[in-house]
Amino acid sequence: MLCGIMLSVFPLEMAKRENDKKFIKEYEKLPELIKNHFLKYSGMKKIGYLADYVNDVEGKNTFIRPNMVIAVSLPYSMLDKEQMKKVLDIADRDLVTVRGLRSLSPRNELYQGICEGNQEERDNAYHQGTVWPWLYGPFCEGWLKVYGQQGVQKVKKLIYGLEAVMSEHGISTISEIMMKSSAFTQGSYFTGLGVGEV
């Protein structure tokens, strides 16, 4: 669905730039149709944030996860500023830590802030609360989109807070994942996800 809006808006922008009136006429209503469909099924109006996913079997999964932050950060978001603000404020309350964003809210009964144990246990915990530094990127982009100049200090604090991490296991590296909101590294010591995003 998120790709749908991007795949419908971008070609329309190109068609306008090239003055392709036939293409514009045929597809100009598509972004609004996709947006309305998305908002109808995403949970935004009912729960105040985006459902993690929606499918025919389970319906809406309303777990608080960073997927909703990524939806805000995209260049063609289907949310208005007030909706973006609600999503980011919930993410700030439940997901943001000093080392990145949790993959699941600690308010959720399935939350596991530590990724340890045998392979199966680690795989199960990987997306159940483990902190991912690379998720600062979408959060900070969204935060600046909504709060503008007023959001700069918060973004600086988050990003500059990673300076200590960048010398823990090598020069200018960021570990793949962290435990809970603390300063304990897990996963790969060197990952392009975190370094590339920050």
Side-chain angles (χ1 to χ4, degrees):
M1 184 75 66
L2 293 174
C3 290
I5 195 75
M6 290 179 68
L7 292 173
S8 65
V9 174
F10 180 72
L12 278 169
E13 283 184 0
M14 295 298 100
K16 288 175 185 172
R17 196 161 84 182
E18 296 299 318
N19 200 25
D20 186 342
K21 292 176 182 163
K22 182 181 177 194
F23 186 92
I24 294 167
K25 185 177 181 183
E26 190 171 345
Y27 293 103
E28 67 186 342
K29 293 182 181 166
L30 190 57
E32 195 63 28
L33 288 171
I34 293 170
K35 179 181 177 177
N36 290 339
H37 186 76
F38 176 80
L39 291 174
K40 179 180 177 181
Y41 292 101
S42 69
M44 189 69 214
K45 292 178 181 177
K46 195 171 185 177
I47 59 176
Y49 60 93
L50 297 175
D52 187 42
Y53 61 85
V54 179
N55 66 31
D56 292 337
V57 178
E58 301 165 70
K60 284 184 187 76
N61 179 300
T62 58
F63 291 178
I64 296 173
R65 292 190 184 272
N67 292 336
M68 63 183 182
V69 173
I70 295 169
V72 169
S73 74
L74 295 173
Y76 305 110
S77 180
M78 291 182 263
L79 306 176
D80 62 35
K81 273 228 168 125
E82 190 54 38
Q83 291 167 327
M84 290 181 192
K85 183 181 181 311
K86 286 179 182 178
V87 166
L88 291 171
D89 289 346
I90 288 169
D92 191 33
R93 180 193 73 203
D94 284 18
L95 302 177
V96 173
T97 75
V98 297
R99 295 287 181 114
L101 269 65
R102 294 180 186 99
S103 53
L104 180 65
S105 169
R107 298 170 189 249
N108 190 296
E109 63 185 23
L110 298 177
Y111 174 79
Q112 296 178 46
I114 299 174
C115 185
E116 63 184 6
N118 63 36
Q119 184 68 48
E120 184 179 350
E121 291 166 332
R122 288 193 315 272
D123 288 348
N124 288 334
Y126 211 51
H127 297 288
Q128 298 297 80
T130 300
V131 174
W132 293 78
W134 77 268
L135 289 168
Y136 266 173
F139 179 81
C140 291
E141 286 176 37
W143 195 264
L144 291 173
K145 187 189 284 190
V146 170
Y147 290 98
Q149 198 60 35
Q150 294 175 335
V152 170
Q153 280 308 111
K154 180 174 187 71
V155 168
K156 280 184 177 181
K157 183 179 176 185
L158 292 173
I159 300 299
Y160 290 161
L162 289 176
E163 277 189 89
V165 175
M166 296 183 79
S167 60
E168 286 177 345
H169 302 291
I171 298 171
S172 298
T173 64
I174 297 176
S175 296
E176 177 186 24
I177 56 176
M178 310 285 178
M179 290 193 296
K180 298 184 182 179
S181 59
S182 66
F184 298 107
T185 299
Q186 289 186 291
S188 170
Y189 288 150
F190 308 102
T191 180
L193 278 173
V195 174
E197 186 63 50
V198 174

